[in-house]
Amino acid sequence: MAEKDPKEKKKSVGPLTFLRQVRAEGNKVTWTSRQETIQATIFVIIMSIVIAIFLFLTDTVISMFVNFVRGG
């Protein structure tokens, strides 16, 4: 395992400097638009419903098959 160079220690910064750096990094982020967020949310909800229906139907079919094999 490679050891870290002691010269590569991260420099400690004060809380105000840290908050300025956080704000600067936040400004660099490309945020999605409101419309894109709404579309993605709707897509996730629809896909969740589709998967829930698929799992329900699969479970029902498997349960019917198991009951048939067991003779009940």
Side-chain angles (χ1 to χ4, degrees):
M1 188 169 169
E3 293 190 27
K4 292 184 177 180
D5 187 11
K7 295 178 184 176
E8 291 184 20
K9 287 186 179 180
K10 292 191 177 184
K11 193 170 51 168
S12 178
V13 295
L16 291 177
T17 304
F18 175 75
L19 290 175
R20 280 191 211 109
Q21 290 173 350
V22 168
R23 176 174 245 168
E25 288 298 320
N27 289 335
K28 293 179 187 177
V29 174
T30 304
W31 299 99
T32 58
S33 69
R34 181 177 182 88
Q35 185 64 29
E36 289 172 328
T37 303
I38 291 171
Q39 288 176 348
T41 302
I42 292 171
F43 178 76
V44 168
I45 291 170
I46 291 171
M47 290 308 296
S48 297
I49 291 169
V50 168
I51 291 170
I53 292 169
F54 171 76
L55 292 174
F56 172 76
L57 292 175
T58 304
D59 182 55
T60 303
V61 169
I62 291 172
S63 295
M64 290 171 57
F65 177 73
V66 168
N67 286 335
F68 175 75
V69 170
R70 286 181 37 206

PDB file of all heavy atoms in Angstrom, residues 32-47:
ATOM      1  N   THR A  32     -30.745  21.663 -12.932  1.00  0.00           N
ATOM      2  CA  THR A  32     -31.801  21.368 -13.892  1.00  0.00           C
ATOM      3  C   THR A  32     -32.898  22.418 -13.770  1.00  0.00           C
ATOM      4  O   THR A  32     -33.093  23.016 -12.712  1.00  0.00           O
ATOM      5  CB  THR A  32     -32.418  19.981 -13.629  1.00  0.00           C
ATOM      6  OG1 THR A  32     -32.933  19.940 -12.299  1.00  0.00           O
ATOM      7  CG2 THR A  32     -31.400  18.880 -13.801  1.00  0.00           C
ATOM      8  N   SER A  33     -33.624  22.587 -14.870  1.00  0.00           N
ATOM      9  CA  SER A  33     -34.723  23.562 -14.849  1.00  0.00           C
ATOM     10  C   SER A  33     -35.914  22.962 -14.106  1.00  0.00           C
ATOM     11  O   SER A  33     -35.985  21.755 -13.859  1.00  0.00           O
ATOM     12  CB  SER A  33     -35.134  23.920 -16.274  1.00  0.00           C
ATOM     13  OG  SER A  33     -35.754  22.807 -16.885  1.00  0.00           O
ATOM     14  N   ARG A  34     -36.858  23.814 -13.762  1.00  0.00           N
ATOM     15  CA  ARG A  34     -38.064  23.353 -13.069  1.00  0.00           C
ATOM     16  C   ARG A  34     -38.813  22.342 -13.934  1.00  0.00           C
ATOM     17  O   ARG A  34     -39.300  21.318 -13.446  1.00  0.00           O
ATOM     18  CB  ARG A  34     -38.946  24.552 -12.740  1.00  0.00           C
ATOM     19  CG  ARG A  34     -40.206  24.197 -11.994  1.00  0.00           C
ATOM     20  CD  ARG A  34     -40.988  25.467 -11.637  1.00  0.00           C
ATOM     21  NE  ARG A  34     -42.175  25.166 -10.884  1.00  0.00           N
ATOM     22  CZ  ARG A  34     -42.210  25.055  -9.563  1.00  0.00           C
ATOM     23  NH1 ARG A  34     -41.126  25.235  -8.864  1.00  0.00           N
ATOM     24  NH2 ARG A  34     -43.345  24.783  -8.949  1.00  0.00           N
ATOM     25  N   GLN A  35     -38.892  22.615 -15.237  1.00  0.00           N
ATOM     26  CA  GLN A  35     -39.595  21.716 -16.159  1.00  0.00           C
ATOM     27  C   GLN A  35     -38.916  20.349 -16.219  1.00  0.00           C
ATOM     28  O   GLN A  35     -39.599  19.322 -16.215  1.00  0.00           O
ATOM     29  CB  GLN A  35     -39.662  22.350 -17.559  1.00  0.00           C
ATOM     30  CG  GLN A  35     -40.470  21.547 -18.549  1.00  0.00           C
ATOM     31  CD  GLN A  35     -41.937  21.453 -18.157  1.00  0.00           C
ATOM     32  OE1 GLN A  35     -42.472  22.341 -17.512  1.00  0.00           O
ATOM     33  NE2 GLN A  35     -42.587  20.380 -18.555  1.00  0.00           N
ATOM     34  N   GLU A  36     -37.596  20.321 -16.276  1.00  0.00           N
ATOM     35  CA  GLU A  36     -36.875  19.045 -16.302  1.00  0.00           C
ATOM     36  C   GLU A  36     -37.098  18.263 -15.011  1.00  0.00           C
ATOM     37  O   GLU A  36     -37.255  17.039 -15.035  1.00  0.00           O
ATOM     38  CB  GLU A  36     -35.378  19.286 -16.506  1.00  0.00           C
ATOM     39  CG  GLU A  36     -35.010  19.765 -17.886  1.00  0.00           C
ATOM     40  CD  GLU A  36     -33.546  20.175 -17.995  1.00  0.00           C
ATOM     41  OE1 GLU A  36     -32.989  20.673 -16.992  1.00  0.00           O
ATOM     42  OE2 GLU A  36     -32.976  19.995 -19.086  1.00  0.00           O
ATOM     43  N   THR A  37     -37.118  18.958 -13.891  1.00  0.00           N
ATOM     44  CA  THR A  37     -37.338  18.303 -12.604  1.00  0.00           C
ATOM     45  C   THR A  37     -38.732  17.708 -12.537  1.00  0.00           C
ATOM     46  O   THR A  37     -38.919  16.576 -12.074  1.00  0.00           O
ATOM     47  CB  THR A  37     -37.128  19.306 -11.455  1.00  0.00           C
ATOM     48  OG1 THR A  37     -35.815  19.855 -11.557  1.00  0.00           O
ATOM     49  CG2 THR A  37     -37.285  18.641 -10.110  1.00  0.00           C
ATOM     50  N   ILE A  38     -39.729  18.447 -13.015  1.00  0.00           N
ATOM     51  CA  ILE A  38     -41.106  17.949 -13.020  1.00  0.00           C
ATOM     52  C   ILE A  38     -41.227  16.726 -13.925  1.00  0.00           C
ATOM     53  O   ILE A  38     -41.844  15.713 -13.551  1.00  0.00           O
ATOM     54  CB  ILE A  38     -42.080  19.061 -13.455  1.00  0.00           C
ATOM     55  CG1 ILE A  38     -42.151  20.134 -12.357  1.00  0.00           C
ATOM     56  CG2 ILE A  38     -43.467  18.503 -13.771  1.00  0.00           C
ATOM     57  CD1 ILE A  38     -42.905  21.385 -12.761  1.00  0.00           C
ATOM     58  N   GLN A  39     -40.625  16.784 -15.107  1.00  0.00           N
ATOM     59  CA  GLN A  39     -40.679  15.649 -16.029  1.00  0.00           C
ATOM     60  C   GLN A  39     -40.014  14.407 -15.435  1.00  0.00           C
ATOM     61  O   GLN A  39     -40.542  13.301 -15.551  1.00  0.00           O
ATOM     62  CB  GLN A  39     -40.014  16.006 -17.351  1.00  0.00           C
ATOM     63  CG  GLN A  39     -40.825  16.963 -18.192  1.00  0.00           C
ATOM     64  CD  GLN A  39     -40.090  17.387 -19.454  1.00  0.00           C
ATOM     65  OE1 GLN A  39     -38.900  17.144 -19.604  1.00  0.00           O
ATOM     66  NE2 GLN A  39     -40.806  18.045 -20.356  1.00  0.00           N
ATOM     67  N   ALA A  40     -38.867  14.592 -14.806  1.00  0.00           N
ATOM     68  CA  ALA A  40     -38.167  13.462 -14.197  1.00  0.00           C
ATOM     69  C   ALA A  40     -38.981  12.871 -13.049  1.00  0.00           C
ATOM     70  O   ALA A  40     -39.045  11.643 -12.890  1.00  0.00           O
ATOM     71  CB  ALA A  40     -36.792  13.897 -13.704  1.00  0.00           C
ATOM     72  N   THR A  41     -39.620  13.722 -12.271  1.00  0.00           N
ATOM     73  CA  THR A  41     -40.446  13.253 -11.159  1.00  0.00           C
ATOM     74  C   THR A  41     -41.636  12.450 -11.662  1.00  0.00           C
ATOM     75  O   THR A  41     -41.940  11.371 -11.131  1.00  0.00           O
ATOM     76  CB  THR A  41     -40.938  14.448 -10.315  1.00  0.00           C
ATOM     77  OG1 THR A  41     -39.802  15.176  -9.840  1.00  0.00           O
ATOM     78  CG2 THR A  41     -41.779  13.992  -9.148  1.00  0.00           C
ATOM     79  N   ILE A  42     -42.300  12.953 -12.698  1.00  0.00           N
ATOM     80  CA  ILE A  42     -43.431  12.228 -13.280  1.00  0.00           C
ATOM     81  C   ILE A  42     -42.981  10.881 -13.831  1.00  0.00           C
ATOM     82  O   ILE A  42     -43.651   9.854 -13.629  1.00  0.00           O
ATOM     83  CB  ILE A  42     -44.120  13.080 -14.373  1.00  0.00           C
ATOM     84  CG1 ILE A  42     -44.816  14.280 -13.722  1.00  0.00           C
ATOM     85  CG2 ILE A  42     -45.105  12.258 -15.197  1.00  0.00           C
ATOM     86  CD1 ILE A  42     -45.334  15.309 -14.701  1.00  0.00           C
ATOM     87  N   PHE A  43     -41.844  10.854 -14.495  1.00  0.00           N
ATOM     88  CA  PHE A  43     -41.311   9.602 -15.034  1.00  0.00           C
ATOM     89  C   PHE A  43     -41.048   8.601 -13.919  1.00  0.00           C
ATOM     90  O   PHE A  43     -41.398   7.418 -14.039  1.00  0.00           O
ATOM     91  CB  PHE A  43     -40.026   9.877 -15.830  1.00  0.00           C
ATOM     92  CG  PHE A  43     -39.392   8.636 -16.375  1.00  0.00           C
ATOM     93  CD1 PHE A  43     -39.929   8.003 -17.491  1.00  0.00           C
ATOM     94  CD2 PHE A  43     -38.277   8.087 -15.772  1.00  0.00           C
ATOM     95  CE1 PHE A  43     -39.351   6.855 -17.991  1.00  0.00           C
ATOM     96  CE2 PHE A  43     -37.700   6.937 -16.263  1.00  0.00           C
ATOM     97  CZ  PHE A  43     -38.236   6.320 -17.381  1.00  0.00           C
ATOM     98  N   VAL A  44     -40.447   9.051 -12.826  1.00  0.00           N
ATOM     99  CA  VAL A  44     -40.155   8.155 -11.699  1.00  0.00           C
ATOM    100  C   VAL A  44     -41.440   7.608 -11.098  1.00  0.00           C
ATOM    101  O   VAL A  44     -41.540   6.415 -10.785  1.00  0.00           O
ATOM    102  CB  VAL A  44     -39.303   8.881 -10.635  1.00  0.00           C
ATOM    103  CG1 VAL A  44     -39.239   8.095  -9.342  1.00  0.00           C
ATOM    104  CG2 VAL A  44     -37.899   9.134 -11.164  1.00  0.00           C
ATOM    105  N   ILE A  45     -42.443   8.454 -10.938  1.00  0.00           N
ATOM    106  CA  ILE A  45     -43.719   8.007 -10.380  1.00  0.00           C
ATOM    107  C   ILE A  45     -44.377   6.970 -11.291  1.00  0.00           C
ATOM    108  O   ILE A  45     -44.837   5.914 -10.831  1.00  0.00           O
ATOM    109  CB  ILE A  45     -44.649   9.208 -10.132  1.00  0.00           C
ATOM    110  CG1 ILE A  45     -44.106  10.056  -8.978  1.00  0.00           C
ATOM    111  CG2 ILE A  45     -46.079   8.748  -9.834  1.00  0.00           C
ATOM    112  CD1 ILE A  45     -44.801  11.391  -8.794  1.00  0.00           C
ATOM    113  N   ILE A  46     -44.401   7.244 -12.596  1.00  0.00           N
ATOM    114  CA  ILE A  46     -45.008   6.304 -13.544  1.00  0.00           C
ATOM    115  C   ILE A  46     -44.268   4.973 -13.542  1.00  0.00           C
ATOM    116  O   ILE A  46     -44.888   3.896 -13.496  1.00  0.00           O
ATOM    117  CB  ILE A  46     -45.063   6.913 -14.964  1.00  0.00           C
ATOM    118  CG1 ILE A  46     -46.075   8.048 -15.000  1.00  0.00           C
ATOM    119  CG2 ILE A  46     -45.393   5.856 -16.014  1.00  0.00           C
ATOM    120  CD1 ILE A  46     -46.061   8.864 -16.278  1.00  0.00           C
ATOM    121  N   MET A  47     -42.942   5.014 -13.576  1.00  0.00           N
ATOM    122  CA  MET A  47     -42.166   3.769 -13.586  1.00  0.00           C
ATOM    123  C   MET A  47     -42.353   3.001 -12.276  1.00  0.00           C
ATOM    124  O   MET A  47     -42.398   1.762 -12.283  1.00  0.00           O
ATOM    125  CB  MET A  47     -40.685   4.062 -13.842  1.00  0.00           C
ATOM    126  CG  MET A  47     -40.393   4.518 -15.254  1.00  0.00           C
ATOM    127  SD  MET A  47     -41.057   3.422 -16.538  1.00  0.00           S
ATOM    128  CE  MET A  47     -40.140   1.939 -16.228  1.00  0.00           C
TER     129      MET A  47
END
